């Protein structure tokens, strides 16, 4: 009888932990999303935990300014890593100093994945609409 109670308690703990994890992941995704903006310039910052915001939705012609707070060089660029050929113009073609910003005007409608070329695990998406 004691074994059954322990098994049931463990199963409930696992279920509760999974539920809490799902809530956290759902909240993280919402926190990184940005609604469509009428601003013609949007800023994306590379932080120690990744790009903030991770996703932006902008109108065609919007300029996106990339900066960093990590204290090291950064290199925002179009997917796919390492070629950057999906939107080849979306690439500064070199690492940027930690205090250097780079901006890019999005003149093509589409969904544009991007990453930091130096730390390719930091990724994001820019949705460009008419």
């Amino acid at each position: 009888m004691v074994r059954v109670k322990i098994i049931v308690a463990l199963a409930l703990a696992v279920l509760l932990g999974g539920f809490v994890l799902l809530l956290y992941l759902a909240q993280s995704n919402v926190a990184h999303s940005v609604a469509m903006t009428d601003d013609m310039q949007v800023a994306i910052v590379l932080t120690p935990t990744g790009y903030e915001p991770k996703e932006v939705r902008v109108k065609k012609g919007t300029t996106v300014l990339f900066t960093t707070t990590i204290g090291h060089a950064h290199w925002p660029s179009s997917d796919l890593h390492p070629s950057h050929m999906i939107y080849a113009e979306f690439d500064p073609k070199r690492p940027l100093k930690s205090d250097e910003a780079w901006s890019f005007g999005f003149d093509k409608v589409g969904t544009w994945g991007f990453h930091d070329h130096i730390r390719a695990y930091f990724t994001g998406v820019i949705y460009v609409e008419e």
Side-chain angles (χ1 to χ4, degrees):
M1 188 65 165
V2 172
R3 273 191 203 169
V4 172
K5 288 181 181 181
I6 291 173
I7 291 172
V8 169
L10 287 174
L12 288 174
V14 168
L15 287 173
L16 181 60
F19 179 73
V20 169
L21 178 63
L22 285 174
L23 284 176
Y24 171 77
L25 292 174
Q27 180 181 4
S28 293
N29 287 337
V30 170
H32 292 294
S33 296
V34 172
M36 179 73 153
T37 178
D38 289 332
D39 296 340
M40 292 311 287
Q41 183 163 341
V42 173
I44 297 178
V45 179
L46 180 59
T47 72
T49 58
Y51 284 107
E52 292 294 333
K54 188 172 178 145
E55 298 180 14
V56 296
R57 188 173 302 277
V58 299
K59 291 185 179 180
K60 181 179 173 183
T62 299
T63 297
V64 177
L65 177 70
F66 293 88
T67 61
T68 185
T69 61
I70 62 174
H72 300 286
H74 62 119
W75 187 337
S77 51
S78 169
D79 284 347
L80 294 169
H81 181 71
S83 69
H84 313 155
M85 296 308 295
I86 290 180
Y87 194 163
E89 301 86 1
F90 173 21
D91 182 355
K93 310 279 192 250
R94 64 177 179 82
L96 306 169
K97 295 176 186 172
S98 63
D99 62 347
E100 187 177 5
W102 180 73
S103 61
F104 182 75
F106 284 83
D107 60 358
K108 295 180 184 178
V109 172
T111 300
W112 309 111
F114 67 94
H115 62 280
D116 178 61
H117 182 68
I118 299 168
R119 295 161 207 81
Y121 47 87
F122 289 144
T123 63
V125 180
I126 299 170
Y127 303 96
V128 181
E129 301 175 356
E130 285 290 342

